[in-house]
Amino acid sequence: MPAFPVLVQPAGLRFDAEAGTPVLLAAQAAGIKLPSSCRNGTCRACMCLMLEGSVAYGIEWPGLSRDEKEEGWILPCVAHATSALEIQAPLAAPIEAALATPAVARPLTGARR
Ligand code: FES
């Protein structure tokens, strides 16, 4: 399967996401923690802005509105890269650093950042 490079801003973290693998899992396999909770496309804890690229979803209707999709918001827990990606995920961090940092409280729904 092809893999697509993913650049995570603003930290400048990079990893490859294999086609068919959720971006969140590809990041985790590369030692990068992205915010998440349900991991099934409903809670929106992982919601982040896609600055470049394209994704497809492994579920029929991820928890995003049509407007949010058009604005570039994605749910990495269920989104598969279909091209090189650049995403904005301010809370992304290498897993070792994420373990050393206290969790940040975030709303489970309606969170855009
Ligand atoms: S982790 Fe819940 S929607 Fe992605």
Side-chain angles (χ1 to χ4, degrees):
M1 285 214 180
F4 302 103
V6 181
L7 172 60
V8 184
Q9 300 289 17
L13 301 168
R14 294 176 187 273
F15 62 94
D16 288 332
E18 202 171 281
T21 299
V23 172
L24 182 76
L25 293 183
Q28 185 177 329
I32 296 169
K33 179 172 177 46
L34 298 175
S36 69
S37 183
C38 72
R39 296 180 174 226
N40 64 18
T42 57
C43 76
R44 298 161 55 101
C46 65
M47 189 172 169
C48 68
L49 191 59
M50 180 174 61
L51 304 172
E52 294 285 342
S54 61
V55 296
Y57 286 94
I59 61 174
E60 201 165 303
W61 189 249
L64 293 170
S65 71
R66 181 177 304 192
D67 287 346
E68 288 168 338
K69 283 183 172 181
E70 288 174 5
E71 291 169 10
W73 296 98
I74 65 169
L75 296 175
C77 68
V78 287
H80 305 198
T82 56
S83 74
L85 295 179
E86 182 175 355
I87 61 174
Q88 183 150 8
L91 297 178
I95 286 175
E96 307 81 46
L99 291 175
T101 305
V104 176
R106 298 181 66 211
L108 293 179
T109 59
R112 291 188 150 216
R113 298 194 184 200

